Amino acid sequence: MNNCGENNILLFAEGLKKSFAGKTVLDIGELTVRGGESVVLSGENGSGKTTLLKILAGLLRPDSARALAFAGCERYPRGAPHSSYLHQSPYLFSASVRANVEYGLRRAGLPGEKRKQKAEDAMRWAGVLHLASARADRLSGGEQRRAALARIRALSPRLCLLDEPLAHLDEEGIKRAEELIPQLRKGGCAVVTATHKPFADATQQWRLQNGKLICEQ
Amino acid sequence: MEAATATAQALRLLFSGDEELLEIIGVSLSVSLSALALAAPPALFAAYFLACRNFAGRRALLAVLQSLLSFPTVAVGLILYLLLSRRGVLGAWELLFTPAAMALGQAVIVFPILTVFALAALQKNDSRARETALTLGAGSFRAALTEIGEARFGVIAALLTGFGRAVSEVGCALMVGGNIAHYTRNITTAIALETGKGKFAEGIALGIVLVALALAASALLSLAQGAGRRE
């Protein structure tokens, strides 16, 4: 069954299984994400949150899946277009913040002036415009997180997959990230956030337990 | 005393802008840079493939590449000579005793150096680099280029080491180039010839140039390594 395209469904997966070294990490019956949703994914350390997010981002292949589709695509593409994944500890290319934010825009083929404008808007939004020329890999943890969020924001993806975006941040960093993440949803983008912290605006709560996904609306 | 006189003559030769000397230096640079351009793309591809993929025979392939690092250049010259000679498999190419044959030989010599050094640099890359590139919309090829870019200081170091090896080898250049004046005579083959003829000043002058090139490559290497060091 492929429900994508119906009822604003952005992401649909059914019968998702993944094992590592003979140990089942994920055995998920069904999951659905609609445009504009905020999904909070929780679970103990090692419960498979990162594995699930990477599968949904197209970075990892599941061992089997009866259905795994993104916005009407019959087959979930590797490095799925229109979806962005943020590592628990974001990776920034060893270049300037501006070059990092423009990376995805270049891949999308945006012409120079439009690309520059979009990148500046995203950096201003994340509060890193003053760091545009700084080497991204030499920023503080909080600044790196915001630069990575700006890089995602610039692409206006339809789905954001954020892996523990508040981890390893000080109070100020958490406060600023908590302000930015809900704003990613503007324009119909769905956000799936793996976190141990409750999110006030969550439309779905997913909990991973022994490889099973417990969904609460 | 004789050495001091020869060195003084060599310096005079160098600073007088002797045309023949400049021509020989030009052959060396063009052949070695061509060899680097010829070997670098397949070597980087091989290094990337070896860094990212695990396949049967990978370790054996690595062992072969590492042993090729110290493969005698004269042996490469001999094999290439046999292949390029009129009755050889590649005889129809009519490359023997041409700068192209010298570049081909040097490319063979630097290929394992570039591969092994670039592989060492790529293996230090963070796996998140590729994942980040892919999730930002890069295709597999573009993601590979990004990864190579992330390891750029190590890759530059590999290229400089390769250049140093190419420009200073003599065995292969002599065998497949033939040391033909105004055509395939480069710095190393000219040094061997001039010294053999007892013309030490020319030999020393070219030796100084060769050492200067090697030192310049070394200095650039140190700069690249310094720039690549994370704070």
Side-chain angles (χ1 to χ4, degrees):
Chain A
M1 187 175 95
N2 183 352
N3 288 338
C4 287
E6 296 167 21
N7 306 320
N8 193 24
I9 289 176
L10 198 60
L11 180 65
F12 176 74
E14 194 180 21
L16 207 66
K17 289 186 181 176
K18 184 74 184 172
S19 306
F20 289 113
K23 187 186 174 233
T24 302
V25 177
L26 296 176
D27 184 3
I28 294 171
E30 188 180 310
L31 64 82
T32 306
V33 180
R34 290 177 171 80
E37 273 203 290
S38 169
V39 181
V40 168
L41 170 63
S42 61
E44 289 174 7
N45 289 340
S47 58
K49 298 190 293 292
T50 298
T51 304
L52 176 58
L53 289 184
K54 283 194 175 181
I55 287 174
L56 298 182
L59 293 171
L60 258 185
R61 286 177 194 276
D63 296 335
S64 63
R66 279 196 298 281
L68 178 56
F70 179 84
C73 300
E74 280 298 322
R75 193 167 158 269
Y76 199 84
R78 191 165 182 227
H82 316 301
S83 80
S84 286
Y85 170 76
L86 184 71
H87 289 92
Q88 184 171 348
S89 171
Y91 185 86
L92 290 156
F93 301 121
S94 51
S96 67
V97 171
R98 183 187 299 281
N100 266 274
V101 177
E102 286 191 6
Y103 183 92
L105 299 171
R106 280 180 192 274
R107 304 290 82 78
L110 239 70
E113 203 49 47
K114 208 170 172 186
R115 186 174 68 228
K116 196 176 162 205
Q117 191 56 52
K118 270 210 151 195
E120 279 189 5
D121 289 347
M123 286 189 286
R124 190 175 297 112
W125 167 78
V128 291
L129 186 57
H130 63 293
L131 299 167
S133 304
R135 271 280 294 265
D137 52 348
R138 291 179 184 169
L139 303 179
S140 72
E143 288 167 341
Q144 286 200 355
R145 197 72 54 105
R146 280 186 282 130
L149 284 171
R151 192 168 61 181
I152 286 179
R153 166 84 166 198
L155 286 174
S156 313
R158 296 175 68 187
L159 173 67
C160 289
L161 302 152
L162 312 178
D163 194 355
E164 305 265 11
L166 308 179
H168 315 303
L169 291 180
D170 58 18
E171 264 184 46
E172 178 62 22
I174 290 174
K175 194 175 148 229
R176 295 185 79 166
E178 278 179 333
E179 283 165 9
L180 294 176
I181 292 166
Q183 292 175 33
L184 286 170
R185 288 171 61 199
K186 283 182 184 163
C189 171
V191 181
V192 179
T193 313
T195 181
H196 294 288
K197 285 197 73 175
F199 264 47
D201 68 338
T203 55
Q204 279 195 71
Q205 297 273 356
W206 292 352
R207 181 166 175 78
L208 270 172
Q209 207 164 22
N210 301 320
K212 303 282 184 192
L213 190 72
I214 301 154
C215 301
E216 291 167 15
Q217 295 289 331
Chain B
M1 195 62 201
E2 196 183 335
T5 315
T7 307
Q9 275 180 357
L11 289 172
R12 265 199 301 277
L13 258 178
L14 271 178
F15 291 108
S16 69
D18 183 84
E19 263 187 40
E20 199 177 343
L21 212 65
L22 293 176
E23 193 181 63
I24 289 168
I25 295 165
V27 170
S28 261
L29 288 176
S30 70
V31 165
S32 296
L33 289 172
S34 304
L36 215 54
L38 206 60
L44 287 179
F45 176 78
Y48 183 77
F49 191 76
L50 284 164
C52 298
R53 299 284 157 90
N54 213 350
F55 54 90
R58 181 180 177 274
R59 288 183 71 168
L61 194 59
L62 274 174
V64 169
L65 279 168
Q66 272 158 356
S67 62
L68 285 176
L69 289 177
S70 52
F71 200 70
T73 59
V74 73
V76 174
L78 177 64
I79 294 165
L80 209 56
Y81 184 96
L82 294 172
L83 289 171
L84 294 176
S85 63
R86 203 171 285 269
R87 290 184 189 171
V89 179
L90 307 176
W93 290 6
E94 296 184 346
L95 284 181
L96 197 60
F97 304 136
T98 64
M102 294 162 74
L104 193 61
Q106 290 186 358
V108 172
I109 291 163
V110 301
F111 177 83
I113 296 170
L114 296 183
T115 308
V116 170
F117 279 59
L119 172 63
L122 284 166
Q123 277 176 329
K124 285 186 201 149
N125 263 4
D126 193 318
S127 63
R128 292 173 303 158
R130 178 176 173 77
E131 290 180 347
T132 301
L134 288 172
T135 58
L136 291 172
S140 291
F141 182 68
R142 181 65 232 189
L145 289 183
T146 300
E147 275 200 89
I148 291 171
E150 288 297 285
R152 58 187 173 272
F153 298 110
V155 171
I156 290 169
L159 290 171
L160 290 169
T161 309
F163 175 75
R165 172 88 159 143
V167 83
S168 60
E169 76 83 24
V170 62
C172 182
L174 200 57
M175 291 203 71
V176 299
N179 199 17
I180 302 165
H182 311 297
Y183 188 45
T184 59
R185 184 165 297 164
N186 68 2
I187 296 176
T188 54
T189 59
I191 290 175
L193 179 79
E194 303 298 354
T195 310
K197 288 197 298 191
K199 293 169 81 174
F200 296 112
E202 283 84 349
I204 292 170
L206 288 165
I208 289 169
V209 173
L210 197 59
V211 170
L213 282 174
L215 286 176
S218 238
L220 286 173
L221 185 62
S222 302
L223 273 178
Q225 283 167 341
R229 201 170 294 126
R230 291 194 178 214
E231 280 167 8

